[in-house]
Amino acid sequence: MSTDPWETLRAATRARVGLGRAGDGLSTPENLRLAAAHAQARDAVHAPLDADAVVAALGERAGPVVHSRVADRTEYLQRPDLGRRLADDHGLERGDHDLAVVIADGLSARAVHDHAVAVVDALLPRLEGWSVAPVVVAQQARVALGDDIAAALGARMVLVLIGERPGMSSPDSLGAYLTFDPRPGRLDSERNCVSNIRPPDGLTYDGAAEVLAALMTESFRLGLSGVGLKDTGTALPPVAG
């Protein structure tokens, strides 16, 4: 049996606790682990989205690939405003849909590659009777780009699945942002977010789909999203064993 009092806590979290020290600093192994985590986070921010692979994984559910008004990744990081607006040559066709689903690279294409299609797979069967537009894949995208996309598609609600800002232990975290009556100019306070979708260390696909389906159903009933819409569920996601 270990005599390290921090071992139990370290086994229960990915946070860096009880690291020990060498003199006034971290030990060499911990410094190397920290540097590796930092490199993973930087790689996640700069890695490009493989839109063709996402479209292939979506199969017949896939719609077009669109772009924001950003020219390249450098501009994406420097000009968030351009990442929120849809390029003029988007090719989207207006229809009559309850829901538009947008898969967006955001700040972690890795999160999209690993988790986005699985969330779609778990969610859509829970939306029986909904009219869902073909899933749009968006490059160099911020969350608010979904408002432009949904408005172009004629959708009453948009769900944006997007790579979240990488942390030092979570370079692959996917976020889901829900907005009722999406249109350009919507505020962040008018959205709901389900965050940290990344099994086995975060929320499971089924867990995220259950919360999202409940929020979306209530959003339609109330005719709103954001701070006025609350997740009233009491079930917590299972603890990874």
Side-chain angles (χ1 to χ4, degrees):
M1 179 180 296
S2 173
T3 59
D4 184 354
W6 290 101
E7 185 170 328
T8 301
L9 184 57
R10 282 197 295 265
T13 177
R14 289 175 62 84
R16 288 177 168 80
V17 295
L19 301 183
R21 65 185 184 182
D24 293 331
L26 290 174
S27 67
T28 298
E30 291 300 339
N31 265 312
L32 292 174
R33 280 190 280 269
L34 187 65
H38 188 214
Q40 279 191 320
R42 289 174 61 89
D43 286 348
V45 168
H46 291 282
L49 178 70
D50 188 343
D52 291 340
V54 177
V55 168
L58 287 167
E60 62 183 12
R61 298 165 299 182
V65 177
V66 301
H67 301 260
S68 71
R69 297 182 182 179
V70 169
D72 54 37
R73 198 62 176 175
T74 299
E75 187 175 56
Y76 174 83
L77 296 174
Q78 296 173 343
R79 293 288 305 273
D81 57 315
L82 296 180
R84 299 182 183 113
R85 300 308 310 274
L86 186 62
D88 292 332
D89 56 345
H90 54 73
L92 298 173
E93 296 183 3
R94 187 172 181 84
D96 183 20
H97 308 289
D98 294 323
L99 175 67
V101 178
V102 178
I103 294 178
D105 50 3
L107 289 166
S108 175
R110 173 179 168 182
V112 173
H113 296 152
D114 290 352
H115 308 304
V117 175
V119 174
V120 173
D121 290 341
L123 176 62
L124 293 188
R126 291 173 163 86
L127 302 178
E128 185 175 354
W130 288 49
S131 170
V132 181
V135 179
V136 175
V137 178
Q139 295 183 299
Q140 310 292 13
R142 302 282 178 170
V143 172
L145 186 68
D147 297 335
D148 279 21
I149 293 171
L153 290 171
R156 287 173 280 279
M157 179 181 291
V158 66
L159 177 68
V160 179
L161 303 176
I162 190 167
E164 296 183 309
R165 185 185 307 276
M168 295 298 282
S169 61
S170 56
D172 62 336
S173 181
L174 188 78
Y177 289 82
L178 164 67
T179 310
F180 183 81
D181 189 20
R183 59 183 185 274
R186 279 298 199 188
L187 304 175
D188 288 341
S189 60
E190 296 173 303
R191 314 185 197 283
N192 293 86
C193 176
V194 176
S195 184
N196 197 35
I197 306 170
R198 54 184 196 101
D201 298 307
L203 192 59
T204 66
Y205 305 137
D206 284 333
E210 284 291 336
V211 174
L212 287 169
L215 283 172
M216 293 161 73
T217 300
E218 189 70 358
S219 177
F220 262 117
R221 186 183 75 82
L222 296 174
L224 55 80
S225 59
V227 296
L229 177 64
K230 306 297 183 183
D231 175 14
T232 58
T234 58
L236 292 174
V239 176

